[in-house]
Amino acid sequence: RMLKVLSERGLVQKSASAPRRKKARVFDKHAQPWIFKDYRTIVIGERVQIDHMTVEKNGSEMKEFHAWERKSKHLTVGIFDAATAENAKKFLMDFQRNAPFKILSIQVDGGSEFRAAFEKACQELKIPLIALPPARPKYNGGVKRFNRTLREEFWSKNFASVSIKDMNDELQKYVEKYNNFRPHNSLHGMTPMEYINSTCGRHNQSHMS
């Protein structure tokens, strides 16, 4: 009570390190709030986790978007100059065109890059968008884990050129090997694409077919 009175009089100020109330994550009408779902019941293409991270190479800063499909561990990536909603939309459109499975829903955090144009694109594509509550990065734990994997296995290397185009080309080569040649213990020794093909079947593999 004494602290409240002193604070009201302007005699006590809150410490800079004091916990602050999380701001509400404002999406439009299309995004749905996250609710618990037993991940053992999730099917391929459901709640695909999308995130982005900042990477710096030889003084050049880039933004990498990546989508991680939980069931098959399939990875999709793209590099841009900024983490804007328009760039997130471009990444989504490329992902939607090239994904080897039907995207049933997408799960993102509350970053501004996943609102506006990105949310509208999800609505136009009729893809449900699920927004995580504040301070719950563990709900997107799979794609967050890939931040570290990509830093250790790809971004730690030296490259002749660090232009966005060249880095994107190099990153796609890494992802091609990851999706098609790298076996996973959790997939009983199969690669992500082998798992997708064996589970979905080629006739039902993609929403584009």
Side-chain angles (χ1 to χ4, degrees):
R1 288 198 300 269
M2 292 177 63
L3 287 173
K4 181 179 180 181
V5 172
L6 292 173
S7 179
E8 290 174 348
R9 293 179 180 178
L11 300 176
V12 175
Q13 295 182 346
K14 184 178 290 187
S15 169
S17 62
R20 298 183 179 183
R21 181 179 297 176
K22 297 292 183 181
K23 293 182 179 180
R25 297 184 164 182
V26 182
F27 284 83
D28 208 338
K29 296 179 180 180
H30 180 66
Q32 309 167 17
W34 183 92
I35 58 173
F36 173 79
K37 181 177 177 68
D38 190 335
Y39 285 117
R40 291 173 296 183
T41 67
I42 279 180
V43 299
I44 290 179
E46 185 178 7
R47 295 204 180 193
V48 177
Q49 299 177 14
I50 295 183
D51 192 26
H52 94 278
M53 68 176 180
T54 301
V55 292
E56 186 173 328
K57 204 68 180 171
N58 297 343
S60 297
E61 186 176 279
M62 293 163 274
K63 303 292 183 177
E64 179 196 294
F65 284 88
H66 34 280
W68 182 74
E69 202 287 308
R70 185 183 184 92
K71 200 76 174 180
S72 67
K73 319 305 179 188
H74 185 276
L75 183 64
T76 302
V77 299
I79 302 176
F80 298 86
D81 61 349
T84 63
E86 284 293 339
N87 283 339
K89 175 185 174 180
K90 292 178 184 177
F91 174 74
L92 172 65
M93 302 304 287
D94 288 340
F95 176 40
Q96 193 269 344
R97 280 192 296 267
N98 300 311
F101 50 82
K102 183 176 182 179
I103 304 172
L104 301 177
S105 57
I106 289 172
Q107 186 169 288
V108 298
D109 62 23
S112 60
E113 65 274 12
F114 298 125
R115 306 175 198 171
F118 179 86
E119 183 180 7
K120 184 177 180 180
C122 287
Q123 184 175 17
E124 292 173 350
L125 293 171
K126 296 182 171 55
I127 300 175
L129 178 62
I130 300 167
L132 302 184
R136 293 295 185 274
K138 64 182 181 180
Y139 294 162
N140 257 9
V143 73
K144 294 290 186 185
R145 174 64 179 81
F146 263 103
N147 289 352
R148 192 176 83 182
T149 298
L150 289 166
R151 288 185 188 280
E152 293 175 350
E153 297 186 359
F154 179 78
W155 290 105
S156 62
K157 298 179 180 179
N158 293 320
F159 299 95
S161 171
V162 292
S163 71
I164 289 180
K165 180 184 182 304
D166 290 341
M167 293 305 300
N168 216 355
D169 291 343
E170 291 294 331
L171 186 54
Q172 298 310 321
K173 294 176 185 177
Y174 168 86
V175 172
E176 173 74 11
K177 293 179 180 178
Y178 172 88
N179 286 330
N180 292 280
F181 299 101
R182 183 171 175 169
H184 289 253
N185 290 333
S186 60
L187 301 179
H188 306 291
M190 289 188 286
T191 67
M193 283 306 304
E194 286 174 338
Y195 183 85
I196 290 171
N197 288 332
S198 67
T199 302
C200 298
R202 293 192 62 83
H203 68 283
N204 191 37
Q205 179 177 322
S206 173
H207 60 292
M208 296 299 291
S209 59

